């Protein structure tokens, strides 16, 4: 077991990314995805198939991104192990190379 914080670990990178995106980013991408999905239905019904599929592709990208945040990034549990694994995601996301405690 190490007593140092590994800021380049996958857990630390996920915590920093989750902090950058935040709940506003999640809500924004989810809303855009739903609007583009509705646009797909309207364009498909209007027989504008090429733009409908483009709208569907962008909608799926937005929805996948928002689901990734909701299911994986927003819930980073702590676990037993080194110090990096025991810190909460909120604390871990606030640390950088400049602010990390050293020996």
């Amino acid at each position: 077991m190490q007593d140092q914080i590994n800021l380049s670990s996958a857990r630390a990178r996920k915590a920093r990314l989750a902090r950058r995106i935040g709940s506003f980013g999640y809500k924004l991408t989810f809303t855009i995805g739903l609007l583009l999905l509705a646009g797909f239905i309207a364009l498909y019904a209007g027989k504008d198939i090429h733009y409908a599929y483009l709208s569907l592709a962008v909608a799926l990208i937005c929805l996948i991104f928002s689901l990734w945040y909701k299911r994986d990034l927003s819930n980073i549990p702590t676990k037993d192990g080194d110090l990096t694994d025991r810190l909460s995601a909120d604390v871990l996301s606030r640390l950088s190379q400049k602010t990390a405690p050293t020996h």
Side-chain angles (χ1 to χ4, degrees), residues 2 4 15 18-19 25-26 28 31 37 39-40 43 47 50 54-55 60 64 67-69 72 74 77 81 85 88-89:
Q2 295 179 353
Q4 292 182 333
R19 182 175 166 88
Y26 162 71
L28 181 67
T31 303
L37 196 58
F40 161 74
L43 288 169
K47 306 294 184 205
H50 296 302
L54 178 64
S55 176
L60 289 176
I64 288 171
L67 286 174
W68 175 49
Y69 172 81
D72 188 35
S74 68
D85 292 335
S88 71

Side-chain angles (χ1 to χ4, degrees), residues 25-41 52 54-67:
Y26 162 71
K27 291 174 185 174
L28 181 67
T29 57
F30 190 73
T31 303
I32 290 171
L34 289 180
L35 290 173
L36 286 170
L37 196 58
F40 161 74
I41 294 169
L54 178 64
S55 176
L56 178 64
V58 177
L60 289 176
I61 290 170
C62 288
L63 291 173
I64 288 171
F65 184 74
S66 64
L67 286 174

Side-chain angles (χ1 to χ4, degrees), residues 1-4 78-87:
M1 180 166 48
Q2 295 179 353
D3 286 336
Q4 292 182 333
T78 59
K79 55 186 175 184
D80 292 334
D82 63 357
L83 187 56
T84 306
D85 292 335
R86 291 184 301 208
L87 287 174

